[in-house]
Amino acid sequence: MKISSVIGILAAASFTGAMPSSHQTRSVDDVLSTLKRDTSGAGFTHVGSDNVVRTFDKDMNVVDFAQLDDRAASEGGWPRSPSAAVLAEAKQAKARSGAETSKPRSRSPLERRQENSCVSEFCQYDQMCKDLWLYGYNCTSCMMVSNNIGNCQQF
């Protein structure tokens, strides 16, 4: 009798372990193409430490957002309005990106690039990425993760 009870408990435990988690997650790629952007081209996309992807305009106003998981509460306007810490991340990333992209870089449209990848290019805002078409790139957006320097993206 004891053995059948132990087997029943083990079977129940293995069944619950195989059940999917109730938390839904999405990748950044899943949400990027659905987000509204600053139409002036002066905005950027930020993936915050709170697992929320936000698009900002040039004045650091949130244009659109998407949660990457459903564990985050959405009360009181959050996650549309980032916390002070996440907003500080975005501002720091934008400042670091500005410092990096202001460094002189000589480039000719006739040069052959060794790597034709948007993510190899630093950016501070979306239009910087779009302007790379002159060099054969097809970049559409500037994305910053946490407080890191922005990289161009294609989606």
Side-chain angles (χ1 to χ4, degrees):
M1 186 76 166
K2 289 182 182 181
I3 292 177
S4 64
S5 297
V6 170
I7 292 173
I9 291 171
L10 290 175
S14 67
F15 178 74
T16 56
M19 291 180 66
S21 168
S22 62
H23 297 295
Q24 299 294 320
T25 59
R26 299 186 289 179
S27 73
V28 174
D29 288 338
D30 290 341
V31 300
L32 281 178
S33 62
T34 64
L35 294 175
K36 296 175 192 154
R37 303 194 181 316
D38 179 1
T39 56
S40 73
F44 64 97
T45 302
H46 180 255
V47 182
S49 59
D50 58 357
N51 284 338
V52 177
V53 181
R54 294 178 182 88
T55 54
F56 287 90
D57 66 11
K58 66 180 179 175
D59 297 320
M60 296 298 293
N61 297 310
V62 175
V63 176
D64 203 1
F65 72 96
Q67 293 175 241
L68 296 179
D69 59 43
D70 63 356
R71 291 175 284 183
S74 55
E75 303 165 4
W78 191 89
R80 180 172 200 72
S81 303
S83 67
V86 171
L87 189 56
E89 280 178 8
K91 287 179 179 178
Q92 184 179 18
K94 187 157 176 71
R96 289 179 70 203
S97 297
E100 186 65 35
T101 57
S102 66
K103 293 178 182 176
R105 182 176 179 176
S106 64
R107 187 189 309 228
S108 165
L110 302 177
E111 285 179 358
R112 266 193 81 75
R113 292 181 316 281
Q114 292 189 358
E115 187 175 325
N116 188 10
S117 170
C118 289
V119 296
S120 67
E121 298 297 321
F122 295 132
C123 60
Q124 188 178 11
Y125 49 86
D126 291 345
Q127 194 61 48
M128 288 180 106
C129 300
K130 292 176 183 176
D131 289 345
L132 290 172
W133 69 268
L134 181 62
Y135 304 103
Y137 289 86
N138 188 22
C139 309
T140 57
S141 180
C142 178
M143 183 168 65
M144 300 170 197
V145 178
S146 188
N147 62 353
N148 294 306
I149 297 169
N151 295 95
C152 292
Q153 304 290 315
Q154 177 186 4
F155 54 87

